[in-house]
Amino acid sequence: MHRLKRNAFIWTVVALAWLVYGVIGVLQVYEIEAAGDPNVTLAMCAQLLLPGALLFWTPLTLAFLALARRVPLTRATWLASGLTVLAAIATAILARATYAWLSHPFIDDIYPPWQEPMPPPILFLKQAFYYSHTKILLIVFVCYLYVHLEKTHQHRMRIAELETRLTRARLDALAAQLNPHFLFNALNSIAELIHADAEAADRMLVALGDLLRYSLASPEHEITVKAETELVAQYLSIEKIRLGDRLDVRWSIAPDCEQALVPALMLQPPAE
């Protein structure tokens, strides 16, 4: 579905580009023809030029775009690919001559004074080469440039995705090391208090349960500074029960840093 939408967008852009090109050509031809013949109208010039822009140049551009994707010009395949592109250019010139030959009779219906005898086919081929080869070469260049930029963007997106996965894997490894360490420390603290102060041990178990529920409900690899400090504060509240007045914690956090993202459990090792 995504590829279909992307292709539809590209087709639309190509068609609009050639439509704009055709409109500009219509205005230029009308200005020239109307100066010598006041009977020439803008609609006549549009009938003369716009069909070619939409019915020939648009499909031709899309065909060369498909060719650029299928036949890349690389060092390993430059000879075979180059010959294929040259053959495609020759075919495009032949197609342009054929289109001119087929559309020639319709010019009489647009404006009789434009009527000319049907030239021989070889003349259509010569005119197609002389007047269209530069345009065709430009189309080929633009199509291959677009495909190159498209592949470069996709390559960068894949690299960014791999870097993100690598970062997540590293954070997972860090969390796998920190979570058991923190849990063992908390359980050891409870074990020390369970015989000396059962009520304090009970409060520590409740705090530990709240902390574990918070951790399990927040599986993100990155959390805000505010959430990270709340997580560490819960751990320190457990240690506060065990150590009492021996533990004194003071927080100094700039308000504009609270929504910044940091790796989860980043503050756990300093707190321990």
Side-chain angles (χ1 to χ4, degrees):
M1 182 62 68
H2 175 71
R3 179 178 295 181
L4 182 61
K5 290 182 178 179
R6 185 188 64 180
N7 289 338
F9 174 76
I10 293 174
W11 298 340
T12 303
V13 171
V14 171
L16 287 176
W18 279 113
L19 179 61
V20 171
Y21 177 86
V23 170
I24 294 174
V26 167
L27 296 176
Q28 292 176 341
V29 170
Y30 172 72
E31 184 178 357
I32 295 173
E33 293 292 333
D37 188 351
N39 294 322
V40 175
T41 64
L42 192 64
M44 293 178 184
C45 298
Q47 293 179 51
L48 179 67
L49 297 178
L50 288 185
L54 296 176
L55 299 180
F56 180 78
W57 292 111
T58 297
L60 183 68
T61 302
L62 295 175
F64 273 113
L65 185 60
L67 178 69
R69 287 173 173 165
R70 283 181 165 269
V71 186
L73 293 173
T74 62
R75 292 181 180 180
T77 62
W78 68 270
L79 181 58
S81 299
L83 292 175
T84 302
V85 172
L86 288 177
I89 293 174
T91 303
I93 293 175
L94 180 61
R96 178 57 183 167
T98 303
Y99 177 84
W101 176 69
L102 293 175
S103 61
H104 186 270
F106 295 98
I107 298 178
D108 299 344
D109 299 331
I110 299 175
Y111 188 48
W114 287 344
Q115 181 178 3
E116 295 180 355
M118 175 70 77
I122 189 64
L123 183 60
F124 284 107
L125 188 60
K126 289 181 179 180
Q127 291 177 343
F129 177 79
Y130 291 147
Y131 300 130
S132 300
H133 75 278
T134 302
K135 192 183 300 182
I136 292 173
L137 290 175
L138 182 61
I139 292 173
V140 173
F141 172 77
V142 171
C143 288
Y144 271 91
L145 178 62
Y146 172 80
V147 171
H148 172 72
L149 295 176
E150 183 182 51
K151 290 182 177 179
T152 301
H153 175 70
Q154 292 174 352
H155 181 65
R156 290 177 178 174
M157 292 293 293
R158 284 195 294 267
I159 292 176
E161 182 181 358
L162 291 175
E163 289 177 347
T164 301
R165 290 182 180 179
L166 179 60
T167 301
R168 289 180 178 177
R170 289 173 176 172
L171 291 174
D172 286 338
L174 177 62
Q177 295 174 1
L178 293 177
N179 285 334
H181 188 212
F182 156 70
L183 185 58
F184 292 152
N185 285 348
L187 290 177
N188 287 334
S189 300
I190 294 173
E192 293 175 3
L193 282 177
I194 197 166
H195 298 293
D197 190 345
E199 184 178 351
D202 182 66
R203 292 199 306 270
M204 289 183 68
L205 282 173
V206 173
L208 178 60
D210 292 340
L211 181 58
L212 290 178
R213 277 194 297 271
Y214 181 88
S215 299
L216 293 174
S218 303
E220 292 86 359
H221 295 87
E222 292 183 339
I223 59 177
T224 62
V225 171
K226 182 178 179 181
E228 176 69 8
T229 53
E230 290 175 353
L231 183 64
V232 175
Q234 286 184 317
Y235 167 75
L236 293 176
S237 67
I238 297 174
E239 293 297 281
K240 180 69 174 178
I241 296 173
R242 183 173 68 88
L243 300 175
D245 295 336
R246 290 179 294 169
L247 178 62
D248 183 21
V249 180
R250 298 180 183 179
W251 297 92
S252 178
I253 303 174
D256 56 348
C257 295
E258 290 185 346
Q259 298 305 316
L261 294 177
V262 295
L265 298 176
M266 183 186 73
L267 297 179
Q268 190 65 35
E272 294 181 359

